[in-house]
Coordinates of all heavy atoms in Angstrom, one line a residue:
Q1 N 8.0 22.1 22.0 CA 8.4 22.8 20.8 C 9.6 22.1 20.2 O 10.5 21.6 20.9 CB 8.9 24.2 21.2 CG 9.2 25.0 20.0 CD 9.5 26.5 20.4 OE1 9.7 26.8 21.6 NE2 9.6 27.4 19.4
L2 N 9.5 21.9 18.9 CA 10.5 21.2 18.1 C 11.6 22.1 17.6 O 11.4 23.3 17.2 CB 9.8 20.5 16.9 CG 8.8 19.5 17.3 CD1 8.2 19.0 16.0 CD2 9.4 18.3 18.0
S3 N 12.8 21.6 17.6 CA 13.9 22.5 17.0 C 13.9 22.3 15.5 O 13.6 21.3 15.0 CB 15.3 22.1 17.7 OG 15.5 20.7 17.4
T4 N 14.5 23.3 14.9 CA 14.7 23.2 13.4 C 15.9 22.4 13.0 O 17.0 22.6 13.6 CB 14.8 24.7 12.9 OG1 13.8 25.5 13.3 CG2 15.0 24.7 11.4
V5 N 15.7 21.5 12.0 CA 16.7 20.7 11.5 C 17.4 21.5 10.4 O 16.7 21.8 9.4 CB 16.2 19.3 11.1 CG1 17.4 18.5 10.5 CG2 15.6 18.6 12.3
R6 N 18.7 21.7 10.4 CA 19.4 22.4 9.3 C 19.9 21.5 8.2 O 20.0 21.9 7.1 CB 20.5 23.2 9.9 CG 20.0 24.2 10.9 CD 21.0 25.3 11.1 NE 20.7 26.3 12.2 CZ 20.0 27.3 11.9 NH1 19.5 27.6 10.7 NH2 19.6 28.1 12.9
E7 N 20.1 20.2 8.6 CA 20.7 19.3 7.6 C 20.1 17.9 7.9 O 20.2 17.5 9.0 CB 22.2 19.4 7.6 CG 22.9 18.5 6.5 CD 24.4 18.6 6.6 OE1 24.9 19.6 7.2 OE2 25.0 17.7 6.0
L8 N 19.7 17.2 6.8 CA 19.2 15.9 6.9 C 20.4 14.9 6.7 O 21.2 15.1 5.8 CB 18.1 15.6 5.9 CG 16.8 16.4 6.1 CD1 15.9 16.1 5.0 CD2 16.2 16.1 7.4
T9 N 20.4 13.9 7.5 CA 21.4 12.9 7.3 C 20.8 11.8 6.3 O 19.7 11.4 6.5 CB 21.9 12.2 8.6 OG1 20.7 11.7 9.2 CG2 22.5 13.3 9.5
P10 N 21.7 11.2 5.4 CA 21.1 10.2 4.5 C 20.9 8.9 5.1 O 21.6 8.6 6.2 CB 22.2 10.2 3.4 CG 23.5 10.7 4.0 CD 23.0 11.6 5.0
V11 N 20.0 8.1 4.6 CA 19.8 6.8 5.1 C 20.4 5.8 4.2 O 20.2 5.9 3.0 CB 18.2 6.5 5.3 CG1 18.0 5.2 5.7 CG2 17.5 7.5 6.2
E12 N 21.1 4.8 4.6 CA 21.8 3.8 3.9 C 21.1 2.5 4.1 O 21.1 2.0 5.4 CB 23.3 3.7 4.2 CG 24.0 5.0 3.7 CD 25.5 4.8 4.0 OE1 26.0 3.7 4.0 OE2 26.2 5.8 4.1
L13 N 20.5 1.9 3.1 CA 19.9 0.6 3.3 C 20.8 -0.4 3.0 O 21.0 -1.0 1.9 CB 18.6 0.5 2.3 CG 17.8 -0.7 2.4 CD1 17.2 -0.7 3.8 CD2 16.7 -0.6 1.4
T14 N 21.6 -0.8 4.0 CA 22.7 -1.8 3.9 C 22.2 -3.3 4.0 O 22.8 -4.2 3.5 CB 23.8 -1.6 4.9 OG1 23.2 -1.6 6.2 CG2 24.4 -0.3 4.7
E15 N 21.1 -3.5 4.8 CA 20.6 -4.8 5.0 C 19.0 -4.7 4.6 O 18.2 -4.6 5.4 CB 20.7 -5.2 6.5 CG 22.1 -5.5 7.0 CD 22.6 -6.8 6.3 OE1 21.8 -7.7 6.1 OE2 23.8 -6.8 6.1
P16 N 18.7 -4.8 3.3 CA 17.4 -4.8 2.9 C 16.5 -6.0 3.4 O 15.3 -5.9 3.6 CB 17.4 -4.8 1.3 CG 18.8 -5.4 1.1 CD 19.7 -5.1 2.2
G17 N 17.1 -7.2 3.5 CA 16.4 -8.4 4.0 C 15.6 -8.8 2.9 O 15.5 -8.4 1.8
R18 N 14.7 -9.9 3.2 CA 13.7 -10.5 2.3 C 12.3 -10.0 2.7 O 12.0 -9.9 3.9 CB 13.9 -12.0 2.3 CG 15.3 -12.5 1.9 CD 15.3 -14.0 2.0 NE 14.2 -14.6 1.3 CZ 14.4 -15.3 0.1 NH1 15.7 -15.4 -0.4 NH2 13.5 -15.9 -0.5
I19 N 11.5 -9.8 1.7 CA 10.1 -9.4 1.9 C 9.4 -10.5 2.7 O 9.4 -11.7 2.2 CB 9.4 -9.1 0.7 CG1 10.1 -7.9 0.0 CG2 8.0 -8.6 0.9 CD1 10.3 -6.7 0.8
K20 N 8.8 -10.2 3.8 CA 8.0 -11.2 4.6 C 6.5 -11.0 4.6 O 5.7 -11.9 4.8 CB 8.5 -11.3 6.0 CG 8.4 -10.1 6.9 CD 8.9 -10.3 8.3 CE 8.6 -9.2 9.2 NZ 9.1 -9.4 10.6
R21 N 6.1 -9.7 4.5 CA 4.6 -9.5 4.4 C 4.3 -8.3 3.5 O 5.1 -7.3 3.5 CB 4.0 -9.4 5.8 CG 4.4 -8.2 6.5 CD 3.6 -8.0 7.9 NE 4.0 -9.2 8.7 CZ 4.6 -9.1 9.9 NH1 4.9 -8.0 10.3 NH2 4.9 -10.2 10.6
V22 N 3.1 -8.3 3.0 CA 2.7 -7.1 2.3 C 1.3 -6.7 2.7 O 0.4 -7.6 3.0 CB 2.6 -7.4 0.7 CG1 2.0 -6.2 0.0 CG2 3.9 -7.7 0.2
R23 N 1.1 -5.4 3.0 CA -0.2 -4.9 3.4 C -0.6 -3.8 2.4 O 0.3 -3.1 2.0 CB -0.2 -4.3 4.8 CG 0.2 -5.4 5.9 CD -0.9 -6.4 6.0 NE -0.6 -7.4 7.1 CZ -0.1 -8.5 6.9 NH1 0.2 -8.9 5.7 NH2 0.1 -9.4 7.9
G24 N -1.9 -3.6 2.3 CA -2.3 -2.5 1.4 C -3.7 -2.2 1.4 O -4.5 -2.9 2.2
V25 N -4.2 -1.3 0.6 CA -5.5 -0.9 0.6 C -5.8 -0.5 -0.9 O -5.0 0.2 -1.5 CB -5.9 0.3 1.5 CG1 -5.1 1.6 1.3 CG2 -7.4 0.7 1.5
A26 N -6.9 -1.0 -1.4 CA -7.4 -0.6 -2.7 C -8.7 0.3 -2.5 O -9.6 0.0 -1.7 CB -7.9 -1.8 -3.5
Y27 N -8.6 1.6 -2.9 CA -9.7 2.5 -2.6 C -10.2 3.1 -3.8 O -9.5 3.3 -4.8 CB -9.2 3.5 -1.6 CG -7.9 4.3 -1.9 CD1 -7.9 5.5 -2.5 CD2 -6.7 3.7 -1.6 CE1 -6.7 6.1 -2.8 CE2 -5.5 4.4 -1.9 CZ -5.6 5.6 -2.5 OH -4.4 6.3 -2.7
G28 N -11.4 3.7 -3.7 CA -12.1 4.3 -4.8 C -13.1 5.2 -4.4 O -13.6 5.1 -3.3
T29 N -13.4 6.3 -5.2 CA -14.5 7.2 -5.0 C -15.4 7.2 -6.2 O -14.9 7.4 -7.3 CB -13.9 8.6 -4.7 OG1 -13.2 9.0 -5.8 CG2 -13.1 8.7 -3.4
K30 N -16.7 7.1 -5.9 CA -17.6 7.2 -7.0 C -17.4 6.3 -8.2 O -17.6 6.6 -9.3 CB -17.8 8.6 -7.6 CG -18.3 9.6 -6.5 CD -18.6 11.0 -7.2 CE -19.3 11.8 -6.2 NZ -19.6 13.1 -6.6
V31 N -16.9 5.0 -7.8 CA -16.8 4.0 -8.8 C -17.4 2.7 -8.3 O -17.7 2.5 -7.1 CB -15.2 3.7 -9.1 CG1 -14.6 4.8 -9.8 CG2 -14.5 3.3 -7.9
S32 N -17.6 1.8 -9.1 CA -18.2 0.4 -8.8 C -17.3 -0.2 -7.7 O -16.0 -0.3 -7.9 CB -18.4 -0.4 -10.0 OG -18.8 -1.7 -9.6
P33 N -17.8 -0.9 -6.7 CA -17.1 -1.7 -5.7 C -16.2 -2.8 -6.5 O -15.3 -3.3 -6.0 CB -18.1 -2.2 -4.8 CG -19.2 -1.3 -4.9 CD -19.2 -0.8 -6.3
Q34 N -16.7 -3.2 -7.7 CA -16.1 -4.3 -8.4 C -14.7 -3.9 -8.8 O -13.8 -4.7 -8.9 CB -17.0 -4.6 -9.6 CG -16.4 -5.8 -10.4 CD -17.3 -6.1 -11.6 OE1 -18.1 -5.4 -12.0 NE2 -17.1 -7.3 -12.2
I35 N -14.5 -2.6 -9.1 CA -13.1 -2.2 -9.4 C -12.1 -2.4 -8.3 O -11.0 -2.9 -8.6 CB -13.1 -0.7 -9.9 CG1 -13.9 -0.5 -11.1 CG2 -11.8 -0.1 -10.1 CD1 -14.1 0.9 -11.6
A36 N -12.4 -2.1 -7.2 CA -11.5 -2.3 -6.0 C -11.3 -3.8 -5.8 O -10.2 -4.2 -5.5 CB -12.1 -1.7 -4.7
N37 N -12.3 -4.5 -5.9 CA -12.2 -6.0 -5.8 C -11.3 -6.6 -6.8 O -10.6 -7.5 -6.6 CB -13.6 -6.7 -5.8 CG -14.4 -6.3 -4.5 OD1 -13.8 -6.0 -3.5 ND2 -15.7 -6.4 -4.6
R38 N -11.4 -6.1 -8.1 CA -10.6 -6.6 -9.2 C -9.1 -6.2 -8.9 O -8.2 -7.0 -9.2 CB -11.0 -6.0 -10.5 CG -12.3 -6.7 -11.0 CD -12.8 -6.0 -12.2 NE -11.9 -6.0 -13.3 CZ -12.1 -5.3 -14.4 NH1 -13.1 -4.6 -14.6 NH2 -11.1 -5.4 -15.4
L39 N -8.9 -5.0 -8.4 CA -7.5 -4.7 -7.9 C -6.9 -5.6 -6.9 O -5.8 -6.0 -7.0 CB -7.5 -3.2 -7.4 CG -7.5 -2.0 -8.4 CD1 -7.7 -0.7 -7.6 CD2 -6.3 -2.0 -9.2
V40 N -7.7 -6.0 -6.0 CA -7.3 -6.9 -4.9 C -6.9 -8.3 -5.5 O -5.9 -8.9 -5.3 CB -8.3 -6.9 -3.7 CG1 -7.9 -8.0 -2.7 CG2 -8.4 -5.6 -3.1
D41 N -7.9 -8.8 -6.3 CA -7.8 -10.1 -6.8 C -6.5 -10.2 -7.7 O -5.7 -11.1 -7.7 CB -9.0 -10.5 -7.6 CG -10.2 -10.7 -6.7 OD1 -10.0 -10.9 -5.5 OD2 -11.3 -10.7 -7.3
S42 N -6.3 -9.2 -8.6 CA -5.2 -9.2 -9.4 C -3.9 -9.0 -8.8 O -2.8 -9.8 -9.0 CB -5.3 -8.0 -10.5 OG -6.4 -8.1 -11.3
T43 N -3.7 -8.2 -7.7 CA -2.6 -8.0 -6.9 C -2.2 -9.2 -6.1 O -1.1 -9.7 -6.1 CB -2.8 -6.8 -6.0 OG1 -3.1 -5.7 -6.8 CG2 -1.4 -6.6 -5.3
R44 N -3.2 -9.8 -5.5 CA -3.0 -11.1 -4.8 C -2.6 -12.3 -5.7 O -1.7 -13.1 -5.4 CB -4.3 -11.5 -4.0 CG -4.4 -10.6 -2.7 CD -5.7 -11.1 -1.9 NE -5.5 -12.5 -1.5 CZ -4.9 -12.9 -0.4 NH1 -4.4 -12.0 0.4 NH2 -4.8 -14.2 -0.1
G45 N -3.1 -12.3 -6.9 CA -2.8 -13.2 -7.9 C -1.3 -13.3 -8.2 O -0.7 -14.3 -8.5
V46 N -0.7 -12.0 -8.2 CA 0.7 -11.9 -8.6 C 1.6 -12.2 -7.4 O 2.5 -12.9 -7.3 CB 1.0 -10.5 -9.1 CG1 2.6 -10.3 -9.3 CG2 0.3 -10.3 -10.5
L47 N 1.2 -11.5 -6.2 CA 2.0 -11.6 -5.0 C 2.0 -12.9 -4.3 O 3.0 -13.3 -3.7 CB 1.7 -10.5 -4.0 CG 1.9 -9.0 -4.5 CD1 1.4 -8.0 -3.5 CD2 3.4 -8.9 -4.9
N48 N 0.9 -13.6 -4.4 CA 0.8 -14.9 -3.7 C 1.7 -15.9 -4.3 O 1.9 -17.0 -3.8 CB -0.6 -15.4 -3.6 CG -1.4 -14.8 -2.5 OD1 -1.4 -13.5 -2.4 ND2 -1.9 -15.6 -1.7
H49 N 2.2 -15.8 -5.5 CA 3.2 -16.7 -6.0 C 4.6 -16.6 -5.3 O 5.4 -17.6 -5.4 CB 3.5 -16.4 -7.6 CG 2.3 -16.8 -8.4 ND1 1.9 -18.1 -8.6 CD2 1.5 -16.0 -9.1 CE1 0.9 -18.1 -9.4 NE2 0.5 -16.9 -9.8
F50 N 4.8 -15.4 -4.7 CA 6.1 -15.2 -4.1 C 6.1 -15.3 -2.5 O 7.0 -15.7 -1.8 CB 6.6 -13.8 -4.4 CG 6.7 -13.6 -5.9 CD1 5.8 -12.9 -6.6 CD2 7.8 -14.3 -6.6 CE1 6.0 -12.8 -8.0 CE2 7.9 -14.1 -8.0 CZ 7.0 -13.3 -8.7
L51 N 4.9 -14.9 -1.9 CA 4.8 -15.0 -0.4 C 3.3 -15.1 -0.1 O 2.4 -14.6 -0.7 CB 5.4 -13.8 0.3 CG 4.8 -12.4 0.1 CD1 5.1 -11.5 1.2 CD2 5.4 -11.8 -1.2
P52 N 3.0 -15.9 1.0 CA 1.6 -16.1 1.4 C 1.0 -15.0 2.3 O -0.2 -15.0 2.3 CB 1.7 -17.4 2.2 CG 3.1 -17.4 2.8 CD 4.0 -16.6 1.8
D53 N 1.8 -14.1 2.8 CA 1.3 -13.2 3.9 C 0.9 -11.9 3.2 O 1.7 -10.9 3.2 CB 2.3 -13.0 5.0 CG 1.6 -12.3 6.1 OD1 0.4 -12.0 6.2 OD2 2.5 -12.0 7.1
V54 N -0.1 -11.9 2.4 CA -0.6 -10.7 1.7 C -2.0 -10.3 2.1 O -2.9 -11.1 2.0 CB -0.6 -10.9 0.2 CG1 -1.0 -9.7 -0.6 CG2 0.8 -11.2 -0.3
W55 N -2.2 -9.1 2.7 CA -3.5 -8.6 3.0 C -3.8 -7.3 2.3 O -3.0 -6.3 2.6 CB -3.6 -8.5 4.6 CG -3.6 -9.7 5.3 CD1 -2.5 -10.5 5.7 CD2 -4.8 -10.5 5.7 NE1 -2.9 -11.6 6.3 CE2 -4.3 -11.6 6.3 CE3 -6.1 -10.3 5.6 CZ2 -5.1 -12.6 6.9 CZ3 -7.0 -11.2 6.1 CH2 -6.5 -12.3 6.8
I56 N -4.9 -7.2 1.6 CA -5.2 -5.9 0.9 C -6.6 -5.7 1.2 O -7.6 -6.5 0.9 CB -5.0 -6.0 -0.6 CG1 -3.5 -6.4 -0.9 CG2 -5.3 -4.8 -1.3 CD1 -3.2 -6.7 -2.3
Y57 N -6.9 -4.5 1.8 CA -8.2 -4.1 2.2 C -8.9 -3.3 1.2 O -8.2 -2.7 0.3 CB -8.2 -3.4 3.5 CG -7.6 -4.2 4.6 CD1 -6.2 -4.1 4.9 CD2 -8.3 -5.1 5.3 CE1 -5.7 -4.8 5.9 CE2 -7.7 -5.9 6.3 CZ -6.4 -5.7 6.6 OH -5.9 -6.5 7.6
T58 N -10.2 -3.1 1.1 CA -10.9 -2.2 0.2 C -11.5 -1.1 1.0 O -12.0 -1.3 2.1 CB -11.9 -3.0 -0.6 OG1 -12.9 -3.5 0.2 CG2 -11.3 -4.0 -1.5
D59 N -11.6 0.1 0.4 CA -12.2 1.3 1.0 C -12.8 2.0 -0.1 O -12.1 2.5 -1.0 CB -11.1 2.1 1.8 CG -11.7 3.1 2.7 OD1 -13.0 3.1 2.9 OD2 -11.0 4.0 3.2
L60 N -14.2 2.2 0.0 CA -14.9 2.8 -1.0 C -15.7 4.0 -0.5 O -16.3 3.9 0.6 CB -15.9 1.9 -1.7 CG -15.2 0.7 -2.4 CD1 -16.2 -0.4 -2.8 CD2 -14.5 1.2 -3.7
Y61 N -15.8 5.1 -1.2 CA -16.6 6.2 -0.8 C -17.6 6.6 -1.9 O -17.2 6.5 -3.1 CB -15.6 7.5 -0.6 CG -14.7 7.4 0.5 CD1 -13.4 7.0 0.2 CD2 -15.0 7.7 1.8 CE1 -12.5 6.8 1.2 CE2 -14.1 7.5 2.8 CZ -12.9 7.1 2.5 OH -11.9 7.0 3.5
K62 N -18.8 6.8 -1.5 CA -19.8 7.3 -2.5 C -20.7 8.3 -1.9 O -20.7 8.4 -0.7 CB -20.6 6.1 -3.1 CG -21.2 5.1 -2.0 CD -21.8 3.9 -2.7 CE -22.2 2.9 -1.6 NZ -22.9 1.8 -2.2
G63 N -21.4 8.9 -2.7 CA -22.3 10.0 -2.2 C -21.6 11.3 -2.1 O -20.7 11.6 -2.6
K64 N -22.2 12.2 -1.2 CA -21.7 13.5 -1.0 C -20.4 13.6 -0.3 O -19.6 14.4 -0.5 CB -22.7 14.4 -0.2 CG -24.0 14.6 -0.9 CD -24.9 15.5 -0.1 CE -26.2 15.7 -0.9 NZ -27.2 16.6 -0.1
T65 N -20.0 12.5 0.4 CA -18.7 12.5 1.1 C -17.6 12.1 0.3 O -16.4 12.2 0.7 CB -18.7 11.5 2.4 OG1 -19.0 10.2 1.8 CG2 -19.9 11.9 3.4
S66 N -17.9 11.8 -0.9 CA -16.7 11.2 -1.8 C -16.2 12.3 -2.7 O -15.3 12.0 -3.5 CB -17.3 10.1 -2.7 OG -18.3 10.6 -3.6
G67 N -16.6 13.5 -2.6 CA -16.0 14.6 -3.5 C -16.6 14.7 -4.8 O -17.8 14.2 -5.0
L68 N -16.0 15.5 -5.6 CA -16.6 15.7 -6.9 C -16.1 14.8 -8.1 O -16.8 14.8 -9.1 CB -16.3 17.2 -7.3 CG -16.8 18.2 -6.3 CD1 -16.3 19.6 -6.7 CD2 -18.3 18.2 -6.2
S69 N -15.0 14.2 -7.9 CA -14.5 13.4 -9.1 C -14.4 11.9 -8.7 O -14.2 11.6 -7.5 CB -13.1 13.9 -9.6 OG -12.2 13.8 -8.5
A70 N -14.5 11.0 -9.8 CA -14.3 9.6 -9.6 C -12.9 9.2 -9.8 O -12.2 9.8 -10.4 CB -15.2 8.9 -10.5
G71 N -12.5 8.1 -9.1 CA -11.1 7.6 -9.2 C -10.9 6.4 -8.3 O -11.7 6.0 -7.5
F72 N -9.8 5.7 -8.6 CA -9.4 4.6 -7.8 C -7.9 4.4 -7.7 O -7.2 5.0 -8.6 CB -10.1 3.2 -8.2 CG -9.8 3.0 -9.6 CD1 -8.6 2.1 -10.0 CD2 -10.5 3.4 -10.7 CE1 -8.3 1.7 -11.3 CE2 -10.1 3.1 -12.0 CZ -9.1 2.3 -12.3
A73 N -7.4 3.8 -6.7 CA -5.9 3.6 -6.5 C -5.7 2.4 -5.7 O -6.5 1.8 -5.1 CB -5.3 4.9 -5.9
L74 N -4.4 2.0 -5.6 CA -3.9 0.9 -4.9 C -2.6 1.3 -4.2 O -1.7 1.8 -4.8 CB -3.6 -0.3 -5.7 CG -2.9 -1.5 -5.0 CD1 -4.0 -2.2 -4.1 CD2 -2.5 -2.6 -6.1
A75 N -2.6 1.2 -2.8 CA -1.4 1.5 -2.1 C -0.9 0.2 -1.3 O -1.7 -0.5 -0.7 CB -1.6 2.7 -1.1
L76 N 0.4 -0.1 -1.5 CA 1.0 -1.3 -0.8 C 2.2 -0.9 0.0 O 3.0 0.0 -0.4 CB 1.4 -2.3 -1.9 CG 0.4 -2.9 -2.8 CD1 1.0 -3.8 -3.9 CD2 -0.7 -3.7 -2.0
V77 N 2.4 -1.7 1.1 CA 3.6 -1.5 1.9 C 4.1 -2.9 2.2 O 3.4 -3.7 2.7 CB 3.3 -0.8 3.2 CG1 4.5 -0.8 4.2 CG2 2.8 0.6 3.0
A78 N 5.4 -3.1 1.8 CA 6.1 -4.4 2.1 C 7.1 -4.3 3.2 O 7.8 -3.3 3.3 CB 6.8 -4.8 0.8
E79 N 7.0 -5.3 4.2 CA 7.9 -5.2 5.3 C 9.0 -6.4 5.1 O 8.5 -7.5 4.8 CB 7.1 -5.4 6.6 CG 8.1 -5.4 7.8 CD 7.4 -5.7 9.1 OE1 6.1 -5.7 9.1 OE2 8.1 -5.9 10.1
S80 N 10.2 -6.1 5.3 CA 11.3 -7.1 5.1 C 11.7 -7.7 6.4 O 11.2 -7.2 7.5 CB 12.5 -6.4 4.4 OG 13.2 -5.6 5.3
T81 N 12.4 -8.7 6.3 CA 12.9 -9.4 7.6 C 13.8 -8.5 8.4 O 13.9 -8.7 9.6 CB 13.7 -10.7 7.2 OG1 14.7 -10.4 6.3 CG2 12.7 -11.8 6.6
S82 N 14.4 -7.5 7.8 CA 15.2 -6.6 8.6 C 14.5 -5.4 9.1 O 15.1 -4.5 9.8 CB 16.5 -6.1 7.7 OG 15.9 -5.3 6.7
G83 N 13.1 -5.4 8.9 CA 12.3 -4.3 9.4 C 12.2 -3.1 8.4 O 11.6 -2.2 8.7
A84 N 12.8 -3.2 7.2 CA 12.6 -2.1 6.2 C 11.2 -2.1 5.7 O 10.7 -3.2 5.5 CB 13.7 -2.3 5.1
L85 N 10.8 -1.0 5.4 CA 9.4 -0.8 4.8 C 9.5 -0.2 3.4 O 10.2 0.8 3.2 CB 8.5 0.1 5.7 CG 8.2 -0.4 7.1 CD1 7.4 0.6 7.9 CD2 7.4 -1.7 7.1
L86 N 8.9 -0.8 2.4 CA 9.0 -0.3 1.1 C 7.5 0.0 0.7 O 6.7 -0.9 0.8 CB 9.6 -1.4 0.2 CG 11.0 -1.9 0.5 CD1 11.4 -3.1 -0.2 CD2 12.0 -0.7 0.4
A87 N 7.3 1.1 0.2 CA 5.9 1.5 -0.2 C 5.8 1.8 -1.7 O 6.7 2.3 -2.3 CB 5.5 2.7 0.6
A88 N 4.6 1.5 -2.2 CA 4.2 1.8 -3.6 C 2.8 2.3 -3.7 O 2.0 1.7 -3.0 CB 4.6 0.7 -4.5
E89 N 2.5 3.1 -4.7 CA 1.1 3.5 -4.9 C 0.9 3.6 -6.4 O 1.8 4.1 -7.1 CB 0.8 4.9 -4.2 CG -0.6 5.2 -4.4 CD -1.0 6.5 -3.6 OE1 -0.1 7.2 -3.2 OE2 -2.2 6.7 -3.5
V90 N -0.3 3.2 -6.9 CA -0.6 3.2 -8.3 C -2.1 3.9 -8.3 O -3.0 3.5 -7.6 CB -0.7 1.8 -8.9 CG1 -1.2 1.9 -10.3 CG2 0.6 1.2 -8.8
T91 N -2.2 4.9 -9.2 CA -3.5 5.5 -9.3 C -4.0 5.4 -10.7 O -3.3 5.0 -11.6 CB -3.4 7.0 -9.1 OG1 -2.5 7.6 -9.9 CG2 -3.0 7.3 -7.6

């Protein structure tokens, strides 16, 4: 059983470090696989000018398991030399 936390302590990012790797996923539902591939190519085209260790995977859903609406997004996580993780998502 977990105890209740009454107050959160703030986190201070005093040593952000330098970005050493980026991981991510481009995903879509009920859209062409070409859209996710274009997201990956465009993102790698920008990020590879700054660092070589960039891996972005694609994940596509279609058919009845993909829900009722179409859409796509990109989620990235960058890891720094100090171990800090920075995340971003674009829909």
Side-chain angles (χ1 to χ4, degrees):
Q1 185 175 12
L2 298 173
S3 61
T4 303
V5 177
R6 298 195 185 275
E7 185 178 341
L8 296 175
T9 56
V11 175
E12 292 183 25
L13 186 60
T14 57
E15 291 290 328
R18 296 176 58 105
I19 301 300
K20 65 178 183 178
R21 73 174 58 117
V22 174
R23 299 293 182 261
V25 61
Y27 52 94
T29 60
K30 293 190 177 182
V31 294
S32 170
Q34 186 179 13
I35 292 177
N37 292 333
R38 286 174 58 191
L39 280 172
V40 171
D41 291 341
S42 298
T43 305
R44 285 183 57 86
V46 171
L47 294 178
N48 277 55
H49 289 293
F50 303 103
L51 67 153
D53 195 5
V54 177
W55 290 84
I56 304 171
Y57 303 95
T58 58
D59 193 10
L60 298 166
Y61 296 96
K62 53 186 172 178
K64 293 182 180 181
T65 62
S66 64
L68 300 175
S69 60
F72 57 93
L74 174 69
L76 298 174
V77 176
E79 183 182 350
S80 75
T81 54
S82 67
L85 298 174
L86 305 169
E89 183 176 16
V90 177
T91 58

